[in-house]
Amino acid sequence: MTTPVTVQFEKTGFEALTDAEGRVALIVGPDGKLGAVAKRLDRATRGAIGRALQGKAWDKLKAGDALDLSYPAGLKAEAVQLVKLARRADTAEARKAGASVGKALGEAGVVVLAAAHPRAAEIAFGLTLRAYDFALYHTAEKPAKGAVTMLVDDPDATSAKAAPLMALADGVCFTRDLVNEPANVLTTTDFAERLAAMREIGLEVEVLDEPALEKLGMRALLGVGQGSESPSKVVVMQWNGGRKGDAPFALVGKGVVFDTGGISIKPAAGMEEMTMDMGGAGVVSGVMRTLALRKAKANVVGLVGLVENMPDGRAQRPGDIVRSMKGDTIEVINTDAEGRLVLADVLWYAQERFKPTGMINLATLTGAIIVGLGHENAGVFSNDDALCNAFLKAAAAEDEGAWRMPMGPAYDALLKSRLADMKNSCGRPAGSITAAQFLRRFVKDDVPWCHLDIAGVALPPKETTLAPKGATGWGVMALDRLVRDMLEG
Ligand code: BES
Ligand code: MN
Ligand code: ZN
């Protein structure tokens, strides 16, 4: 696992900036006006900062972007970074400003002058997220990132504001680590152990093994994992920070630690990306971690189905018929449509055991959602307008792309099977929607539910504002906010 970069808040002063041997970053308004301390720093550089702020390059910068002055005369620092951010900047702009600093962070560290900026905590949050680096397997030892000090006028107040955001950053980075890990490291057993370790931060964690799942009748889930050497597991994480005895809200995640496709095997090109097929489970785990770290006043249960989809002499075949925990039978047309089989049983179990007030599941479920929405938006499917709109609002506030997709009986009809109650795959048309309809059959009518298809956003092909290339942790921020708005409000 990686350790997120932490930010130390200290009282605004001049010496910390002139003593800095790494980088220095100044948060400056678009007008280029400097505060008292920054003015002194400008004098120390014999006006280099002021001249840069009068140039074209500064004018062209958008909110949150930055400009570098390398080896400024008069300072020990290796660079001064001028970060454009108005005092009235919104959350996204402030995080982006922090990300500009975090992206440039090296081993010598950085001292950031934020002074009285009202969004200093959000700047620190963006910095931490963008400084994330999954470098565990680069053997030519990459030097660790240096210390981050942020100079603010009121360190105590800023630290207090930053605390829940740092819990959130920790959760996001936990998710990213899980998604970035290769499948020979993150086996179902290793995944479950990492979740069990969260007992230390106050989560109640249970690990259900194959005999337990067999007893519960989860044959849909077990069928997916039966070709793998790694035993299938369901992990239940409970955070009960709300009123005692109140029914929880449930989060459910697809945790396919590797998806070869099974007997309906995938083509070789790009198959290595299927290490991220546990992305839904990763997000659920990251959210639970954040809720525990910030001691959320809400009852939330997170359930993840951990399996590996492998071809083998014991693997499930196309044409097999399995009975789900609910009792419905499923004809397995395509062993590569495995995520819905896993989720069907975990969704049903979540409802039977916890009678949740609502339920959101996340899954890297279909390639079709990438065809439809690319890497900009996750697909949102729901049986309940109020829950769906609350989620979309939270996602928009956190700048995490999410777009609602249609559902309906005509799509459900496509699941009809000659031999069983339904089939698990029905071809290319509306592939993401038929997958959602399949899941909906395992959701009780009176349970408000959303399905988030995150195949396109969990591991996009390029870096994003807040993440380097690799896993994003998409959804942790939106779900943390949803819990805050809907359950803690
Ligand atoms: N894990 C894949 C979906 C996926 C594709 C995630 C690309 C991330 C990137 C899923 O299990 C799958 O294989 N879905 C099939 C369903 C089809 C067989 C009905 C697909 O999308 O092709
Ligand atoms: Mn698959
Ligand atoms: Zn899959």
Side-chain angles (χ1 to χ4, degrees), residues 319-342:
D320 283 4
I321 294 177
V322 294
R323 186 182 299 276
S324 66
M325 178 182 174
K326 180 185 174 192
D328 291 357
T329 56
I330 304 162
E331 183 187 6
V332 179
I333 298 291
N334 188 321
T335 63
D336 197 13
E338 85 296 343
R340 63 199 75 180
L341 299 172
V342 173

Side-chain angles (χ1 to χ4, degrees), residues 21 25 49 52 69 73 75 89 113 127 143 183 236 275 281 292 297 379 384 407 417 421:
E21 292 183 356
I49 293 171
L69 306 181
L75 293 184
L113 177 62
L127 195 163
V236 183
T275 56
K297 292 191 164 43
D384 186 271
M407 298 189 74
S417 158
D421 296 334

Side-chain angles (χ1 to χ4, degrees), residues 19-20 81 149 156 175 223 247 265 273 303 322 346 373 398 417 448 464:
D19 289 351
Q81 192 176 24
T149 305
D156 290 343
T175 301
I265 198 163
E273 283 197 0
L303 303 101
V322 294
V346 185
L373 299 175
E398 295 294 326
S417 158
T464 61

